[in-house]
């Protein structure tokens, strides 16, 4: 039985597993690194905050969030990605500043109002149910907490302003959206969103 391009892409990036998943993690660490750093900068994390990183992949943004915030929690459905992130964040994990768990945008496993900030880079297009994901992220944010989300604009599941409308429909407020050009001649434009849970 032959393997399709879609199956290969899913094993490497969608639901990383096995050798392809580990190779995909290396590609993600290189290709997403600048955007991960930018999103953490946009979030303006403080040392008193708890941060949820949805789908941290190999852990570039998770490590940086763990260095800036009180604690960063990464939830990822892929055991391979959690292992790569744990290895990258070993110092932060051992200091109690980074925690990793199996989970997803729609099933974080966190208590209500447990985090101050939610970060997501290049994974909203993989969520099986965006409405469910946005509802869960709103639930786990504290009142006044903020969401910063980024995704390759050309791979968004819907146009950027339609995704912004979905965030508003889910209950987020103070929504801002823009595009950002990551460094590099071939880097695709990133659609970015910042919003809050109402007080």
């Amino acid at each position: 039985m032959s393997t399709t391009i879609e199956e290969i892409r899913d094993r490497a990036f969608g639901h990383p597993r096995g050798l392809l998943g580990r190779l995909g993690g290396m590609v993600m660490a290189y290709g997403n690194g600048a955007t991960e750093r930018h999103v953490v900068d946009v979030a303006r994390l403080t040392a008193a905050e708890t941060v949820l990183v949805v789908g941290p992949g190999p852990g570039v943004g998770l490590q940086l969030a763990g260095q800036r915030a009180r604690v960063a929690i990464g939830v990822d459905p892929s055991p391979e990605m959690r292992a790569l992130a744990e290895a990258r964040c070993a110092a932060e994990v051992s200091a109690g500043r980074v925690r990793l768990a199996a989970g997803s945008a729609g099933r974080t496993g966190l208590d209500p109002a447990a985090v101050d900030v939610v970060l997501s880079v290049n994974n909203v297009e993989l969520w099986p149910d965006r409405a469910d994901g946005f509802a869960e992220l709103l639930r786990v944010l504290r009142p006044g907490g903020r969401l910063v989300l980024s995704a390759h604009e050309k791979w968004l599941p819907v146009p950027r302003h339609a995704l912004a409308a979905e965030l508003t429909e889910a209950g987020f407020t103070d929504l801002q959206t823009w595009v950002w050009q990551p460094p590099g001649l071939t880097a695709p434009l990133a659609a970015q969103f910042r919003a809050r849970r109402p007080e």
Side-chain angles (χ1 to χ4, degrees):
M1 178 164 46
S2 63
T3 303
T4 67
I5 295 295
E6 290 75 23
E7 290 169 329
I8 292 169
R9 186 178 299 132
D10 185 64
R11 286 183 197 164
F13 303 108
H15 300 89
R17 56 200 182 274
L19 177 61
L20 277 174
R22 290 190 292 278
L23 290 171
M26 288 188 276
V27 170
M28 284 186 263
Y30 174 77
N32 292 345
T35 303
E36 298 267 7
R37 288 186 286 276
H38 178 72
V39 163
V40 171
D41 287 343
V42 167
R44 297 182 180 175
L45 305 178
T46 72
E49 291 181 316
T50 299
V51 180
L52 169 62
V53 181
V54 177
V60 174
L62 180 65
Q63 181 182 41
L64 189 53
Q67 291 167 351
R68 295 189 185 183
R70 183 179 68 79
V71 65
I73 303 161
V75 295
D76 200 299
S78 165
E80 283 85 354
M81 290 302 101
R82 292 195 305 274
L84 286 174
E86 187 166 11
R88 179 180 298 275
C89 302
E92 291 78 19
V93 168
S94 103
R97 296 175 66 88
V98 163
R99 298 196 319 251
L100 282 145
S104 64
R107 302 288 179 270
T108 65
L110 298 178
D111 291 335
V115 301
D116 302 288
V117 182
V118 173
L119 305 178
S120 169
V121 174
N122 292 339
N123 60 65
V124 68
E125 65 275 16
L126 304 172
W127 301 358
D129 185 328
R130 288 190 309 280
D132 188 43
F134 290 144
E136 171 70 353
L137 300 183
L138 189 73
R139 182 188 74 82
V140 301
L141 273 171
R142 294 188 178 115
R146 57 204 187 277
L147 165 76
V148 181
L149 183 149
S150 180
H152 296 303
E153 187 170 45
K154 69 179 180 179
W155 292 322
L156 282 178
V158 294
R160 178 167 56 97
H161 291 291
L163 194 63
E166 290 179 11
L167 281 160
T168 301
E169 192 173 308
F172 287 93
T173 60
D174 300 331
L175 180 72
Q176 298 171 296
T177 182
W178 66 95
V179 292
W180 179 73
Q181 178 63 67
L185 295 175
T186 60
L189 277 176
Q192 303 197 319
F193 305 82
R194 179 168 45 200
R196 289 187 176 275
R197 176 178 170 173
E199 295 277 359

